[in-house]
Amino acid sequence: MRASKLIPKWLKHYRRQWLAGDAIAALVATMMLVPQALAYAALAGLPPHIGLYAGLLPLLGYAMFGSSSVLSVGPVAVLALMTASALTPLATPGSPEYIAGAILLAALSGIFLLAMGLAGLGTLSNLLSHPVISGFVSGAAALIIVGQIGPLFGIHGDGDTALQQLLNTLKEIPNADPATVGLGLAATLTLIAARLGLAPLLHRLGVSASRAHLLARLAPMLVVLIAIGLTTVFHWEKEMAVVGAIPPGLPQLSVPEFDWNMTYRLLLPALIIALLGFVESLSIAHAIALRRGERLNADAELRGLGAANLLSALSGGFAVTGSFARTAINDEGGAASPMSGVIAAVLMALVLLFVTGLFTELPLCVLAATIIVAAASLFDVRGFVQNWRYDRTDGVARTGTFLGVLLFGVEAGIGLGIGLSFATLIWRTSRPHIAVVGRVPGTEHFRNVLRHTVKTQPDILFLRIDESLFFSNISAVEDRLLSEIKRHPQVRELVLILSSVSRIDGTALERLQQVNRDLRERGIRLHLSEVKGPVLDRLGRSKLLEELTGRVFLSSYIAELALRRDRLSDAAAAAGSN
């Protein structure tokens, strides 16, 4: 393989005028990444420097193989929570075994993603429906907030479920340190105020809307720096827990140790992390790509995220994916290419080399505040309401996933969500919409008799089936056909409009043949109209068309004309015989 093939396409066509925007976006994104990396490492139960490692080489891995010009890859809250959920039953948080497990989890996720990308399985993004993803993220956000109440107040509250943990934490509040509580609440309220009101305030003061929004997103970094400064001046590290020493210098590259027992137990969590991270990352990148008029390659996204996770594991980090907040920062900051990620990686290297000492005095309660406010933004209350209003089955899947995560844990919650998605899909297809239709006067169009003013014939019944026919729904279709025959006793011609039927499986075919025989005994002919080519080809390989008592028509209008002509001919013939 020539070395030139390893050079990304965007780098081959890079323009000098893009450099300023990429550099500014990288600087702003790095200022946001540093406190988030520290916070999400704590959320994952890992030392803070592990989060910084996860924000270094993954940026280069994605820039090398990904397809988005602005996606910012690194540690995120949801994957940090999933990492903690997968590893807590296996090792003590922060222990060497726990850290090795986090690195192994990132490696396995990277292998899964890379393998799926090389196999061209980008369509796996359709495996998780949006209601399930949103329900999971909202449930994870609730778990994150409950888990951070203790560090926010400087207390401990354990429990097997979120409810138990919340109750145990609330019982310990009287024992909380007043200084820790005061600083934690002050940081939380400041971050909430900045998120809700800083951008409008800056805009009223004359700052452009885009720049005001950009500056408002940097509030966490400002709060972190202020907290560090106050702790250093007033020596609050003697009264409250702080981050502590962070090893300076760049991470040493090493291949993770594949302990087979640990690997086996982490396979399923790694697969879930890979799929969820891919779907979330792709949705973020896709939203911005649409606005920019760019095209994404789902398989390239898999390869990019796979490379990012493998490099995170090689450098001692944990599982990573695309970050919505940092990607938005990249976009607003003027990033024009993945070079912004490369520059951000360089800046993170400088932080690791020269600035880690600055964060040793950062109070853990302030880190908890940044996590809580970030997690709160993951709730999508409007989405819940819209799902229930538009489609109750989506609402059930979303709510079920949310409650599953809260009550049973991360993996069980996402498994329940996937199960609910398939259950709702089966439920929908097992109850297909079937409409009695008639011709709109003066046209060749046939519409539902309940929605439009149409012309119908007492002896000709048109039924439109709006779903493919499978073993799961053919009984419902058969019952509806027979009930409509009873409601229309004069019918002698039944026309099934199959314009929405893309497939008829073997079970449905056998039942249609039986329906054809039953109708023949009743003196009713069965006809088909508007049958799709592939469906007609498959029917041609069966006996249905040979045994069909009626005909196959190109359109419903042609069927009506032909059958009316047949009925008139039959009536004339009957009159002549008399």
Side-chain angles (χ1 to χ4, degrees):
M1 180 183 292
R2 292 185 300 175
S4 60
K5 290 186 177 181
L6 298 176
I7 301 175
K9 289 183 178 179
W10 64 264
L11 189 56
K12 294 178 181 178
H13 303 96
Y14 192 78
R15 300 178 184 176
R16 184 177 299 177
Q17 58 265 34
W18 294 348
L19 185 59
D22 285 338
I24 294 172
L27 177 62
V28 178
T30 303
M31 293 176 66
M32 190 176 189
L33 173 58
V34 171
Q36 285 189 345
L38 297 172
Y40 297 152
L43 177 60
L46 296 165
H49 67 278
I50 301 294
L52 296 176
Y53 292 169
L56 178 61
L57 292 186
L59 290 165
L60 297 179
Y62 181 81
M64 191 77 177
F65 298 102
S67 62
S68 172
S69 61
V70 294
L71 187 69
S72 179
V73 172
V76 299
V78 173
L79 292 198
L81 175 66
M82 294 181 72
T83 297
S85 176
L87 294 175
T88 300
L90 306 180
T92 303
S95 66
E97 295 81 9
Y98 190 95
I99 296 173
I103 295 171
L104 178 59
L105 193 58
L108 292 173
S109 298
I111 292 171
F112 279 130
L113 288 163
L114 198 58
M116 289 186 291
L118 294 174
L121 299 180
T123 53
L124 285 175
S125 61
N126 300 321
L127 181 62
L128 299 177
S129 68
H130 183 265
V132 168
I133 296 171
S134 184
F136 170 78
V137 171
S138 296
L143 283 181
I144 289 169
I145 291 172
V146 169
Q148 291 304 304
I149 294 176
L152 183 71
F153 293 156
I155 55 179
H156 297 283
D158 298 326
D160 295 331
T161 66
L163 182 59
Q164 289 180 353
Q165 188 175 8
L166 177 61
L167 293 175
N168 293 336
T169 302
L170 293 178
K171 290 178 183 177
E172 292 294 322
I173 285 183
N175 301 323
D177 175 59
T180 301
V181 173
L183 181 59
L185 290 179
T188 303
L189 294 174
T190 301
L191 290 169
I192 292 173
R195 181 178 290 272
L196 297 178
L198 184 56
L201 175 62
L202 292 173
H203 187 50
R204 285 196 297 270
L205 294 175
V207 181
S208 67
S210 59
R211 185 166 295 180
H213 195 59
L214 186 66
L215 292 173
R217 289 181 177 273
L218 295 180
M221 187 65 178
L222 181 61
V223 169
V224 164
L225 292 176
I226 292 174
I228 291 172
L230 292 174
T231 303
T232 302
V233 172
F234 297 105
H235 301 288
W236 286 347
E237 73 278 3
K238 298 178 180 178
E239 304 176 29
M240 62 185 71
V242 296
V243 167
I246 300 176
L250 300 177
Q252 294 183 350
L253 300 182
S254 62
V255 178
E257 295 183 10
F258 282 83
D259 176 83
W260 291 113
N261 181 47
M262 178 76 80
T263 299
Y264 176 75
R265 300 178 72 175
L266 291 180
L267 283 176
L268 181 58
L271 180 60
I272 295 175
I273 285 175
L275 285 175
L276 186 71
F278 167 57
V279 173
E280 276 290 280
S281 179
L282 187 64
S283 63
I284 295 165
H286 186 64
I288 294 182
L290 284 177
R291 190 168 69 247
R292 288 181 161 223
E294 299 175 349
R295 293 181 62 85
L296 288 181
N297 183 322
D299 295 328
E301 290 300 294
L302 281 168
R303 294 190 292 270
L305 290 175
N309 276 278
L310 284 175
L311 285 177
S312 182
L314 289 173
S315 57
F318 61 101
V320 298
T321 191
S323 162
F324 179 80
R326 295 194 301 274
T327 300
I329 281 281
N330 243 3
D331 183 40
E332 294 162 3
S337 75
M339 179 62 75
S340 61
V342 176
I343 298 173
V346 174
L347 294 175
M348 282 298 297
L350 294 176
V351 169
L352 283 165
L353 286 170
F354 305 111
V355 193
T356 53
L358 176 67
F359 298 98
T360 58
E361 302 296 315
L362 174 61
L364 295 183
C365 62
V366 175
L367 270 185
T370 62
I371 294 173
I372 288 173
V373 175
S377 67
L378 298 176
F379 280 102
D380 186 7
V381 178
R382 182 180 300 177
F384 272 96
V385 174
Q386 288 177 345
N387 273 142
W388 278 106
R389 285 180 177 176
Y390 181 73
D391 190 331
R392 290 293 175 88
T393 54
D394 278 348
V396 168
R398 190 172 195 151
T399 305
T401 306
F402 174 77
L403 294 176
V405 171
L406 282 182
L407 299 177
F408 307 115
V410 173
E411 284 114 1
I414 196 71
L416 178 62
I418 294 174
L420 286 172
S421 286
F422 284 111
T424 55
L425 178 63
I426 294 171
W427 188 87
R428 286 174 182 147
T429 57
S430 66
R431 290 164 174 79
H433 180 259
I434 301 175
V436 177
V437 300
R439 184 170 57 84
V440 178
T443 73
E444 299 180 5
H445 300 291
F446 283 69
R447 294 293 184 267
N448 193 328
V449 298
L450 300 178
R451 300 177 184 273
H452 301 271
T453 302
V454 297
K455 286 185 176 182
T456 60
Q457 306 294 324
D459 53 352
I460 305 174
L461 179 62
F462 285 87
L463 290 179
R464 190 187 68 227
I465 302 174
D466 295 334
E467 182 64 70
S468 292
L469 300 179
F470 295 97
F471 65 93
S472 62
N473 65 15
I474 191 59
S475 292
V477 172
E478 186 177 6
D479 292 343
R480 178 65 185 278
L481 297 184
L482 296 177
S483 69
E484 290 297 338
I485 292 296
K486 291 181 180 179
R487 289 179 56 197
H488 301 82
Q490 300 181 46
V491 166
R492 290 297 173 263
E493 312 285 352
L494 175 60
V495 182
L496 297 184
I497 303 174
L498 304 184
S499 55
S500 298
V501 176
S502 299
R503 188 170 184 272
I504 300 176
D505 74 357
T507 303
L509 176 65
E510 291 177 3
R511 299 290 282 275
L512 284 177
Q513 290 172 322
Q514 184 61 47
V515 167
N516 180 58
R517 289 190 289 267
D518 292 344
L519 292 177
R520 180 171 53 198
E521 294 176 0
R522 297 170 185 241
I524 300 173
R525 294 195 298 173
L526 177 64
H527 309 272
L528 307 178
S529 77
E530 302 181 27
V531 186
K532 292 184 176 180
V535 176
L536 193 58
D537 291 341
R538 291 175 67 90
L539 292 179
R541 298 195 291 271
S542 72
K543 293 183 178 181
L544 176 63
L545 297 186
E546 297 177 10
E547 299 174 353
L548 194 66
T549 54
R551 286 174 278 173
V552 178
F553 295 100
L554 183 63
S555 72
S556 300
Y557 181 65
I558 294 174
E560 184 188 49
L561 293 179
L563 295 177
R564 283 175 61 188
R565 203 162 42 237
D566 289 351
R567 301 307 296 173
L568 290 173
S569 299
D570 292 344
S577 64
N578 292 331

